[in-house]
């Protein structure tokens, strides 16, 4: 029932000002230079937003930002994060780096673990995204210093669908595994009260999805944080 943080999402508008689906920009991330430039721009905006909330007395909690494979191919990535946070006087543990399966693919894969370890030592939070699919697997829980993992939304959406029994068993197992390892688990894609209730009964303490809020610009988040702060 509490806001504990946010995930930064990237959206683009077409020439008519309409917001496009996320997949419409996927091709951009196949170009390393473009992908890295997008990452730098997003980090600048995230840090600016966090500074603005702090100066207005609004507690945004922890903010997650996805790091692309292109960023993990650049040794300057870790230093840039440290410099940005320190210059803005943002506690590093307030920023969570979400690692998606894409960073474990290709020639940069052997270096990823080392860079993630550097980020962890520097004080940043590390989250393993889309857990249960693709390359985000049990191996990475053993090899990288993960603070939290996110159960892929495909399992949550299917909890009460045709494959509900299997999905429920998988979700429950991931939650128990996380608890045993002392890792925070976040359920993605929660859209119904039934899904939330099931997850709470299984011991999942954090979740995100349309049940709580849809992707929104900063102005909408400002109002949300102000409202919760007043209630508190």
């Amino acid at each position: 029932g509490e806001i504990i943080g946010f995930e930064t999402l990237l959206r683009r508008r077409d020439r008519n000002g309409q917001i496009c689906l996320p997949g419409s920009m996927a091709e951009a991330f196949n170009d390393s230079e473009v992908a890295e430039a997008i990452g730098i721009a997003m980090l600048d905006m995230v840090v600016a937003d966090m500074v603005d909330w702090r100066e207005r007395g609004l507690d945004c909690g922890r903010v997650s930002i996805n790091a692309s494979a292109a960023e993990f191919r650049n040794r300057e990535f870790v230093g840039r994060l440290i410099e940005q946070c320190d210059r803005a006087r943002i506690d590093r543990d307030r920023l969570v780096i979400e690692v998606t399966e894409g960073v474990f693919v290709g020639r940069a894969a052997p270096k990823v673990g080392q860079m993630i370890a550097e980020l962890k030592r520097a004080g940043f939070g590390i989250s393993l995204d889309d857990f249960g699919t693709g390359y985000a697997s049990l191996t990475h829980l053993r090899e990288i210093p993960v603070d939290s993992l996110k159960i892929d939304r495909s399992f949550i959406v299917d909890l009460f669908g045709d494959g509900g029994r299997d999905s429920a068993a998988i979700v429950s197992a991931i939650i128990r595994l996380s608890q045993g390892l002392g890792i925070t688990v976040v359920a993605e894609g929660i859209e119904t009260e039934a899904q939330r209730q099931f997850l709470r009964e299984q011991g999942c303490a954090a979740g995100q999805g349309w049940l709580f809020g849809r992707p929104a610009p900063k102005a909408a988040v400002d109002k949300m944080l102000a409202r919760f702060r007043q209630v508190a």
Side-chain angles (χ1 to χ4, degrees):
E2 297 180 1
I3 296 176
I4 60 173
F6 293 87
E7 177 180 359
T8 305
L9 300 178
L10 175 65
R11 296 290 185 269
R12 76 173 185 90
R13 296 181 184 274
D14 62 20
R15 294 176 180 176
N16 297 318
Q18 298 297 311
I19 295 178
C20 304
L21 293 173
S24 67
M25 70 186 87
E27 189 67 26
F29 289 90
N30 291 328
D31 184 307
S32 296
E33 291 186 8
V34 173
E36 189 171 6
I38 290 173
I40 291 172
M42 284 195 68
L43 179 61
D44 288 343
M45 289 186 283
V46 169
V47 169
D49 288 347
M50 294 177 74
V51 169
D52 180 64
W53 285 322
R54 181 187 65 207
E55 292 179 347
R56 294 165 60 189
L58 301 175
D59 185 2
C60 64
R62 307 179 85 190
V63 178
S64 298
I65 184 168
N66 285 286
S68 68
E71 290 174 293
F72 276 103
R73 284 194 287 269
N74 189 336
R75 294 296 306 174
E76 297 178 359
F77 175 54
V78 176
R80 185 165 63 241
L81 283 168
I82 293 173
E83 180 184 358
Q84 286 276 68
C85 283
D86 291 356
R87 186 170 63 238
R89 295 182 292 109
I90 293 175
D91 292 337
R92 296 175 191 173
D93 62 358
R94 286 286 186 129
L95 194 64
V96 179
I97 310 304
E98 292 203 4
V99 184
T100 56
E101 64 177 10
V103 304
F104 298 106
V105 180
R107 291 178 297 174
K111 300 179 182 178
V112 171
Q114 181 182 350
M115 292 181 70
I116 291 175
E118 290 180 22
L119 288 168
K120 176 64 176 176
R121 287 194 298 269
F124 295 98
I126 305 296
S127 179
L128 189 58
D129 200 9
D130 300 332
F131 189 79
T133 64
Y135 296 90
S137 68
L138 292 172
T139 301
H140 301 120
L141 292 182
R142 184 180 60 189
E143 296 179 348
I144 64 177
V146 174
D147 296 295
S148 62
L149 63 83
K150 305 181 81 171
I151 305 175
D152 188 73
R153 70 180 305 274
S154 61
F155 297 112
I156 308 303
V157 170
D158 199 37
L159 278 176
F160 299 98
D162 294 337
R165 183 175 180 180
D166 291 342
S167 292
I170 291 171
V171 169
S172 298
I174 293 175
I175 293 172
R176 289 196 301 273
L177 173 66
S178 301
Q179 292 171 338
L181 295 173
I183 297 173
T184 300
V185 62
V186 181
E188 296 182 297
I190 302 175
E191 299 181 2
T192 69
E193 184 61 39
Q195 291 168 346
R196 174 167 72 166
Q197 186 60 33
F198 172 84
L199 290 161
R200 291 187 66 176
E201 291 173 353
Q202 298 302 311
C204 183
Q208 66 181 77
W210 285 3
L211 181 65
F212 311 116
R214 299 199 174 201
K218 179 179 178 293
V221 177
D222 292 348
K223 295 178 181 178
M224 181 189 302
L225 289 174
R227 185 170 67 250
F228 271 79
R229 181 169 179 261
Q230 290 171 358
V231 170

